Every structure is written in structure tokens, then in C-alpha cells.
Amino acid sequence: MDRALLPMFVARELRLLIGSAASAGCPHNIGFHRKQKNGDSFRPSDLVRASLLRSQPGGFMRSVVFFNNKGGVGKTTLACNIAAQFADQRSLRVLLVDCDPQCNSTQLILETDQWASIYWEKIGDDQQTIIDILQPIELGDADIQCGVSPMKSSQNRFGVDLIPGHPRMSIIEDLLSRAWGEAIGGDIGGIRRTNWIPSLLREYEDRYDVILFDVGPSLGSLNRTILIGADYFVAPMGADIFSVVGIRNIAEWLNNWISVYKTGLSLCTSRHPDALEKFGIDPEGQVNASFVGYTVQQYITKSKQGVRRPTQAFEAILSGIPNEVEQSLGKFTPPDLDMNDLKLGDVPNMYSLIPLAQSVNAPISALQSSDGLAGGQYRQQENYLHTIRAVTESLARNMGS
């Protein structure tokens, strides 16, 4: 197909599918995420790679998950600062969804009194969180709660809308684990609960250009459901052996459950023909999230002949990471993505800038003297801005911008 025709092809397919979904009770049950044609599986996450990230209403929203099985790699800092860059440098409408039960993104973006009012003082009942979206599933239903309003970008310094996280997501994970057991047995209710992310994306797609998910390091049911529905995922890494092991774990984990998931869908189709399509679920079991890159963070550098280089302790690990990533996750990349483009960039240790940004709930790019920025921190900030902008542009490129 001529790439110039791809946006029109997607729009046509969406109109056809939306028109055929009138029988679905919830507007988010419309099955437009996949369409079978001539034996090939088409996904908007593949097709829209040929068009720009939306800069005006009527385009296509993208979703990306920041995920590694290894904690302590700067994942939340990276996700939130990239979100701020998308909003500030690209003027995109950005939504960040905090799905980590530890709520680190929520604590970074919101001031203490804001998140304390939501979780502790219980005076912020009007502000809903991710747990409100999943309340119907918690009560035994298979749909999400529609109409949950994110916190507006005007309420934080990152310039992004936010669906705050909630510690009760740990309990939701138990429920999703049960749903997974039902799903792989062919139960349509379990499959629908496992596919809650596509419903969430349909709820917000007309309001945002990009939705970012910050998740915990678990290889459990919660993150599995997020990767089933999102378009892309990024793996922040540290310059250590455990980050590499985390990448290997992700690959093994994906390979194991994707095949089991497909079996469950096949069983469901044999029992309930056309039921999956009615609820917008791909009967072929095509997992949406494609791997679009990684970063290597928090290594220590030293000067050698005027050039700053990683210390010798990390050099062997750093040199082996590209091959490890390609071998483990290369099969999950979009078909037209060059393997050499998977490395989004190196993010060196920013020392005191990170705790300073956390203390004032601001992206590193927005730090100023009134926040306590002083002395050599200005140079650190300048270096970080160069790095994060390059990483953001690389990510946008890999997502099709």
C-alpha cells in the first residue's frame, strides 16, 4: 500500500468498524483496534507510524509504556520529563497515567498538599484516580468507568494532564490475575477485563495526542494488561547486569504468555463466534505494544583527554547492551524500525538535580534559581536538557513522528 494513502485507509477502516458497532452498549466497546483484510493483520499502531504525531484535532493518538523488570533505573524521572518535553517542545496534548501502585509519578508531578488531599486527608474526593476507572472491574463488571476527569496541566509544572495512581492498584492486580486465569480458559468476561486498556484509550483518544503509562517493575497481570492494549513500550535501563537480566526476563515473560493468551482467545472464539469483535478484541491475539527503544541511565563518567567517558567498571556492560536488547526484544519491534535506532540515548547521572526537581515537583527543564538551582547545577541542567530533548526526538521518530 502507498504510504501516502495510509491515513485515509485507517480513517476508512475506523468509520466502517464504528458504524458496525452500534449494538455495543458502551461506546468503548467499538472494535476498531484491529481489522483483518486479505489474511493480514492491520493495527493502527503500525499504520499510523507513517503519519506525524497529531498536532490538531482529528489525528491519531499514540500510547507508550515506560517499563523494565529492574527498578531504580530512573524510569519515572524519564517518563515525566519526556512527557513535559512532548508538551513544551512539541505542543502536544499529553496525558500521563500512573499505573504503578507506588504512585511515584503522581508524587513527582503533584505537590505534597495535592496528593495528600487525595489519599490521606480525604478532602479531594472530587479528584478521581486510576482506581476509579477500574472500580467496575473491582466490583465484578467487565467495563471501565467512563467520565473520569484527569487533573489538568494547569495544576502542575510539567504541563501535562495526569490520572493519579493509587496504592489499591496492588489489589486490582490480584483481580486481574484471576481475570487472566479466566481469559486463558476462553471466558469472554475474563478476556474483556484483561483488555481494559483499549477501553481507556478509546475514552481519551480525542482529547490527547500522546498517553504515557508509568508502571512498576512487576512481571504480573497488571503490566500484562497494559502491554496488551498500549501501542509501544520503552525500557529505561541502568548500566548494570541486573538491567540486562530484566530485559531478558521481559522477553521470556512476553513469549510465555502471548502463546497462552492466543489459546484462550481461540477457545473463546470457538464457543462464542463474533463475541471478541463485538468488544473490540483481536481474535488473533495480536499484542499491541511494540518495543521502540531503550535508554541507559545513571552511569558515572570521568574525563579522559578532555572527553567524558563511563568509568571502566561499566564499559563492558555498556558495550554489550545493544546486542542484548536486540537479541531479547528485537522480535517485538515494529517491522520497519531499524535496530540501530533502538538506543534512544544515554542519560548520565544528574546528581543533585534529581532530588531538587523532586522537592519542587518540576521537570528538570523548568528548574530555576527560586527553586534552589545554583552554581554548577546550571551546567548540569544544560547537559540534561540536551540529553532529554535528544531522547524525546528519538522516541518520537521511532513512534513515527
Side-chain angles (χ1 to χ4, degrees):
M1 177 182 293
D2 186 344
R3 284 183 173 273
L5 300 178
L6 286 175
M8 289 185 289
F9 171 80
V10 174
R12 177 176 66 97
E13 292 296 283
L14 295 183
R15 286 195 299 270
L16 289 173
L17 287 164
I18 291 172
S20 67
S23 62
C26 175
H28 305 142
N29 290 334
I30 296 172
F32 67 82
H33 272 266
R34 289 104 176 168
K35 178 71 174 178
Q36 297 293 318
K37 187 176 180 68
N38 297 331
D40 295 325
S41 177
F42 290 92
R43 300 182 299 164
S45 59
D46 293 331
L47 295 176
V48 300
R49 282 176 52 77
S51 63
L52 295 176
L53 278 169
R54 183 173 63 183
S55 58
Q56 58 185 8
F60 289 98
M61 180 272 299
R62 311 282 178 83
S63 57
V64 58
V65 184
F66 289 77
F67 174 51
N68 196 344
N69 184 222
K70 169 69 169 63
V73 293
K75 171 180 58 61
T76 294
T77 298
L78 182 71
C80 293
N81 279 274
I82 285 180
Q85 287 294 307
F86 275 140
D88 181 51
Q89 297 296 310
R90 285 180 162 252
S91 300
L92 298 177
R93 299 169 296 172
V94 180
L95 173 65
L96 195 146
V97 183
D98 190 352
C99 289
D100 186 348
Q102 297 186 50
C103 306
N104 289 326
S105 289
T106 301
Q107 294 180 67
L108 176 58
I109 292 176
L110 301 183
E111 295 182 4
T112 302
D113 58 348
Q114 290 177 302
W115 54 262
S117 70
I118 296 173
Y119 306 110
W120 183 252
E121 299 171 5
K122 298 184 179 179
I123 61 174
D125 292 340
D126 290 340
Q127 178 54 55
Q128 295 172 298
T129 71
I130 186 66
I131 205 70
D132 294 287
I133 292 175
L134 289 165
Q135 186 178 46
I137 291 178
E138 189 174 13
L139 296 177
D141 205 343
D143 290 325
I144 64 169
Q145 177 65 49
C146 302
V148 173
S149 297
M151 296 191 75
K152 297 301 182 184
S153 59
S154 58
Q155 296 177 272
N156 65 75
R157 294 179 64 181
F158 284 79
V160 303
D161 285 9
L162 171 72
I163 295 179
H166 201 286
R168 282 185 62 82
M169 288 299 282
S170 295
I171 297 174
I172 291 293
E173 177 143 27
D174 284 342
L175 298 176
L176 292 175
S177 180
R178 282 182 238 162
W180 176 253
E182 297 166 354
I184 62 177
D187 177 74
I188 184 63
I191 293 172
R192 288 178 62 196
R193 284 186 283 274
T194 298
N195 280 268
W196 67 276
I197 284 292
S199 297
L200 181 148
L201 296 178
R202 290 192 285 270
E203 167 78 353
Y204 297 106
E205 65 178 350
D206 290 334
R207 288 179 259 175
Y208 298 101
D209 303 310
V210 59
I211 297 179
L212 291 79
F213 293 90
D214 186 23
V215 302
S218 168
L219 298 180
S221 296
L222 176 58
N223 288 347
R224 178 166 50 218
T225 62
I226 296 169
L227 290 180
I228 283 176
D231 295 320
Y232 307 106
F233 75 97
V234 171
M237 302 177 64
D240 59 76
I241 293 173
F242 297 103
S243 287
V244 174
V245 173
I247 292 295
R248 294 173 181 172
N249 287 347
I250 291 174
E252 182 179 355
W253 178 66
L254 288 171
N255 284 320
N256 288 343
W257 64 255
I258 287 175
S259 61
V260 175
Y261 178 59
K262 289 182 178 180
T263 299
L265 295 178
S266 178
L267 288 171
C268 182
T269 299
S270 66
R271 297 170 188 167
H272 310 287
D274 301 325
L276 295 177
E277 287 90 342
K278 176 181 178 181
F279 295 108
I281 299 169
D282 179 13
E284 299 298 317
Q286 179 64 59
V287 174
N288 225 25
S290 297
F291 177 60
V292 289
Y294 67 96
T295 59
V296 181
Q297 301 193 0
Q298 299 177 343
Y299 59 75
I300 308 300
T301 62
K302 64 181 181 180
S303 294
K304 184 177 181 180
Q305 296 180 342
V307 179
R308 297 192 67 82
R309 304 179 184 275
T311 56
Q312 187 173 0
F314 297 118
E315 288 178 352
I317 298 173
L318 288 172
S319 64
I321 284 178
N323 185 58
E324 288 282 354
V325 170
E326 182 175 347
Q327 287 188 357
S328 296
L329 297 177
K331 65 180 292 186
F332 301 105
T333 61
D336 57 342
L337 181 61
D338 190 326
M339 293 294 109
N340 293 321
D341 290 335
L342 283 177
K343 186 173 183 180
L344 304 177
D346 291 325
V347 183
N349 194 307
M350 287 291 103
Y351 303 101
S352 59
L353 278 189
I354 301 298
L356 176 60
Q358 292 171 340
S359 69
V360 297
N361 306 102
I364 291 175
S365 60
L367 293 175
Q368 49 194 331
S369 59
S370 59
D371 296 317
L373 195 68
Q377 290 178 324
Y378 284 99
R379 182 60 182 272
Q380 291 178 25
Q381 182 188 46
E382 181 182 343
N383 290 340
Y384 186 83
L385 285 178
H386 176 77
T387 297
I388 198 66
R389 286 171 181 168
V391 169
T392 302
E393 289 305 307
S394 295
L395 175 58
R397 175 200 65 212
N398 288 359
M399 293 196 302
S401 174

